[in-house]
Amino acid sequence: MNFSQLLVDKINAIVKNWVEAVRLDRQISSADDLTHSAIRDHIPDVLKAMATVLSQSQDSDLQSIVHNSWEHGVLRASQGFAPTEIAREYRLLRQVIFSTLEADLLLGTVREVMRVYGAIDATIDEAIAQCFKSYVDERLQEIQQLQSQAELTNQELTRLLKANQDNVSQLAHELKNPLNSIIGYSELILRSSSKNPEVQDTVPHLEHIERVVRNGRQLLRLINDTLEISRYEAGKMHLNPVATDVRSLIDDVFKMLEPLANTKELELRVDCDRAPKEVVTDSLRLQQIVTNLLSNAIRYTESGTVRLTCEILSDKQWSIAVTDTGIGIAPEDHLRIFEPFFRAGNSDTPVPDSTGLGLAIVSQLVKLMQGKIELVSQVAAGSTFTIILPLEVKTPALQTSST
Ligand code: ADP
């Protein structure tokens, strides 16, 4: 029996049944919206080539099997087929071919049937192999394209971020000059009016000028803090570690903030008995950290005590803890208060001079100084901010950030 011719005669029926089976198979959902010809694709050509393999008089057209199956894989990749769906459609093809030829195969000799089975199986295996090869190639190319797109986007974002940081810094500098003149000029008017009562009379809105100075200073603080944050984020903030006398630094900060605590009748205490005598650190930055923590403790405490404890923890670390008996911080805000511009909603009366930047700067400075910050707080009972720092700040980290 000429099984090769038989297959050629039945190609249309096989293709029709197979497309139908693919459509009905619920595990090949990528074919759901495809037209008949989009599902069929090069399968008739593969079947024609399969007929040449079955033929005993013709040369096997392996080239056509390789080529058409390769194209099939490319198409399936673009149609979004999953590998399991492709494996399934070939399984269905094998089943449909055998069921369509079954009646005729039963008429052949055992030897013939074995040969035909073997040839069909081998052809389909080859088709699957080629199809998967091209499918994987296509997907790899897609991934490579996505990767280069992601790299480009990344570069663009980095450029935009940098441009933005430069803009912020430039804008802040532009704002600082006129603001300084406004504050300076207003202070001049206030000073001369306080010395000269006649001038006082001729300046009708003195309290407005005082407000200008107050708001101007607040704005200046905001600008300086924003600049500081953007410099840190741009990796432009550097440390200058020097041998630092911790106790005298803390004394200086205390003297500066004492008047603020006195106006609120708060008790200010310092315990430096177990403090290191000297540490190697950036003293200006350390002063900035202690000032921020202490002024927060005073601003957010209405009565009671603000205490600073400084001690050596080990041969490598030391700590400063600032404790207050103030309004406290709710547990859900413990992390967020270190984010720029975040202000906890735990105060009934708005706190003056609040920018929401102080703790963001503190946490970045502490990180830069290779330390860490811890918070223990209870609403309406008080808070303790503890910073743990190395006794000697190492410089390599700064060199990396300066490049
Ligand atoms: P600012 O105090 O200028 O708003 P900070 O970054 O220093 O900004 O603080 C962020 C927020 O954390 C504050 O608005 C306040 O709600 C809360 N906070 C900071 N320190 C304390 C403290 N000692 N006690 C209670 N709340 C505090």
Side-chain angles (χ1 to χ4, degrees), residues 221 296-297 299-300 324 327-329 337 342-344 346 353-360 383 385:
R221 202 173 84 119
N296 272 357
R299 285 188 304 135
Y300 294 102
D324 63 59
I327 57 173
I329 299 155
I337 53 166
F342 180 80
R343 277 173 266 184
N346 52 6
D353 292 346
S354 169
T355 61
L357 286 172
L359 284 181
S383 315
F385 286 86

Side-chain angles (χ1 to χ4, degrees), residues 251-276:
D251 273 354
D252 288 346
V253 179
F254 258 72
K255 277 188 203 124
M256 184 169 71
L257 294 176
E258 222 165 14
L260 193 61
N262 288 344
T263 56
K264 297 177 91 176
E265 295 181 7
L266 297 175
E267 187 190 357
L268 265 189
R269 272 201 239 151
V270 59
D271 175 4
C272 279
D273 291 352
R274 281 164 295 142

